[in-house]
């Protein structure tokens, strides 16, 4: 998870709320601007190209905010990846990637 080992003593880290957003960069900027939000780590990218960040809520529950898969498909397409390459990288069916990209145009 990328959670500092020493923080596990104070917090259980056994539950996590997960949300998706379409503009993770804007969300991360808003989080960075708010000094009251405790961040577990900056934006990180998984091998399947999904980018996420984790923060604590005021009660120290973990909240993960990640890019939606359609946004990942769109980002990879904009970077020049083909539908087939995107499907392979993200481990999603070609038809799903194609339909998601078409729905966004």
């Amino acid at each position: 998870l990328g959670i500092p080992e020493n923080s596990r003593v104070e917090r259980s880290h056994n539950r996590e709320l997960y949300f998706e957003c379409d503009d993770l960069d804007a969300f991360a900027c808003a989080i960075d601007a708010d000094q009251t939000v405790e961040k577990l780590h900056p934006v990180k990218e998984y091998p399947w190209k999904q980018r996420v960040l984790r923060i604590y809520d005021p009660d120290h529950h973990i909240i993960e905010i990640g890019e939606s898969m359609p946004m990942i498909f769109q980002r990879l397409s904009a970077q020049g990846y083909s539908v087939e390459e995107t499907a392979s990288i993200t481990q999603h069916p070609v038809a799903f990637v194609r339909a998601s990209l078409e729905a966004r145009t």
Side-chain angles (χ1 to χ4, degrees):
L1 288 177
I3 298 171
E5 190 71 34
N6 62 347
S7 73
R8 296 179 190 178
V9 174
E10 299 170 7
R11 301 170 183 118
S12 65
H13 294 133
N14 60 359
R15 300 278 190 276
E16 178 177 289
L17 295 173
Y18 174 78
F19 299 94
E20 291 184 341
C21 66
D22 285 342
D23 191 346
L24 187 65
D25 293 325
F27 185 83
C29 284
I31 291 297
D32 287 343
D34 187 341
Q35 298 301 310
T36 65
V37 177
E38 186 177 355
K39 295 174 274 304
L40 273 77
H41 58 75
V43 173
K44 66 186 251 180
E45 185 173 288
Y46 288 112
W48 58 91
K49 300 296 184 190
Q50 184 180 36
R51 298 179 315 138
V52 303
L53 64 91
R54 289 186 181 89
I55 60 175
Y56 285 112
D57 76 1
D59 293 320
H60 288 103
H61 299 107
I62 297 172
I63 300 175
E64 179 177 292
I65 302 90
E67 288 179 298
S68 65
M69 291 312 295
M71 288 307 298
I72 298 165
F73 302 155
Q74 186 174 344
R75 181 168 48 82
L76 293 177
S77 177
Q79 292 173 357
Y81 288 92
S82 69
V83 170
E84 292 77 13
E85 290 170 323
T86 299
S88 177
I89 292 167
T90 62
Q91 303 173 22
H92 282 76
V94 170
F96 179 64
V97 173
R98 184 172 285 117
S100 294
L101 288 170
E102 289 171 359
R104 291 223 173 243
T105 57

